[in-house]
Amino acid sequence: TIEQVLEERTDQWMAIPGVEGTAIGLFKDQPCIMILSSVAPRQLRSKIPETLNGYQVVIQQTGTFRALEDQ
């Protein structure tokens, strides 16, 4: 399943500088793997495949994530 693919690869992808997270999303109305990135997608494409186990892999530049302080 896409969940299994994501679970198997997330740690590997998170070790790549610029990768901020992973998720399951939609691409052309089909489930896809989302790579959330703080750098331009072209900087990561050589390290991350366009498809994996039949699922499209989409790199989306989101910026850096950080935890909010408690108020």
Side-chain angles (χ1 to χ4, degrees):
T1 66
I2 193 169
E3 291 86 0
Q4 290 170 319
V5 174
L6 193 62
E7 184 177 331
E8 291 170 4
R9 292 296 185 105
T10 291
D11 288 343
Q12 177 186 351
W13 289 329
M14 290 296 292
I16 300 170
V19 174
E20 300 293 325
T22 63
I24 297 172
L26 287 177
F27 180 78
K28 296 185 180 180
D29 294 324
Q30 296 296 317
C32 74
I33 296 169
M34 301 286 299
I35 305 295
L36 310 174
S37 168
S38 59
V39 299
R42 70 181 178 281
Q43 291 178 266
L44 297 176
R45 189 43 75 188
S46 66
K47 299 172 182 153
I48 298 172
E50 291 188 32
T51 61
L52 186 62
N53 291 24
Y55 298 105
Q56 185 74 33
V57 180
V58 177
I59 302 172
Q60 183 171 354
Q61 188 172 359
T62 58
T64 304
F65 294 108
R66 62 179 178 83
L68 296 176
E69 294 181 25
D70 289 335
Q71 297 289 326

